[in-house]
Amino acid sequence: MNDRPEQERAAQATLMSQQGVDLRICVVGNGCVPDIVPAGALTVALETNIGIPGGRNAGAQALAEASRPDQASYLFFLDNDAVLPTDDALARLIAEAYQHPEAAYVQPRLTGPDDVTTPRRWVPRLRAGEPGRPGTITTMTEGVVLVRRNVFDALGGWGASLFLYHEGLDLACRCWAAGWTGWYAADLRMHHPVTSPTRHAPFHRLAARNRITVAYRNLPRSLIPLYLGNWAVITLARLLRHGGTHESVRGMREGWALRHAQTRRPMSWQTVWRLTAAGRPPII
């Protein structure tokens, strides 16, 4: 959105410095024409801001159209305020994908610029107090993630209607439902400013709305009330400490009112079992 020029330059510089990989880059302007574009990169200038997942889909589509028939094997999504701290980060991330062929996506450990601080919300699994422990994961941190291109295309990409928040959970659910897993490469770090999601005005509303949307799209019908009941309790506890009650209630109302507009592709009970065996039953 051309609102972070210094961070944009830093993100692109670390991307262009990567060694051992063949990169095809697309910069997406969400409601703008991108001001900062590396030499040889594609650009997509969306007339309006269609949200982060929709913007990512537009970039992936542009790369697909420009690369036919020689498609890349992987898509790497990088937010414009994140950086790759070493010039072999992408090569190492792809090596992790080769070592874990069952994983549709590979997630590095996201830290602050100090290479140490990892907020709990950035750890894509339960037991978030151990961010340095690698393993199978059932969700993802969307801003720095590697996804197999064939899986991404087969699943239809990111859930664009979510606009912002929980699109990684939605895509991860669909990956697992299709028989894949995810892998957390905790030994591989990438950097992001340590900020609060509440800096975005619609956080409380969209987070609450999208929880309902993701549950209604992906869960067996009998698990939806259990999942949403758990998250209602968690949300209430957080609101008592941090505020945002009015917007969260508004988001819940929106999500519930719009639930029947969603395309339901509920996961099988076999997938429920696989998620549970991986340490995250889909009621948490």
Side-chain angles (χ1 to χ4, degrees), residues 58-109:
Q61 180 63 29
L63 286 168
E65 293 173 355
S67 302
R68 289 192 179 103
D70 184 22
Q71 292 282 13
S73 300
Y74 300 96
L75 286 164
F76 177 66
F77 296 95
L78 179 68
D79 280 359
N80 69 350
D81 53 356
V83 296
L84 289 65
T86 63
D87 63 9
D88 64 347
L90 274 184
R92 291 174 60 196
L93 198 61
I94 292 170
E96 291 277 349
Y98 273 102
Q99 293 172 24
H100 299 280
E102 75 286 351
Y105 58 96
V106 179
Q107 175 75 62
R109 176 180 172 183

Side-chain angles (χ1 to χ4, degrees), residues 4-35:
R4 299 169 177 164
E6 293 184 7
Q7 291 171 313
E8 179 76 45
R9 288 189 181 91
Q12 292 186 15
T14 62
L15 191 60
M16 297 297 289
S17 72
Q18 294 302 298
Q19 301 294 314
V21 290
D22 177 16
L23 287 180
R24 303 168 187 176
I25 299 172
C26 183
V27 180
V28 179
N30 222 336
C32 67
V33 176
D35 286 340

Side-chain angles (χ1 to χ4, degrees), residues 169 203 207 242:
L169 175 59
F203 167 74
H242 305 298

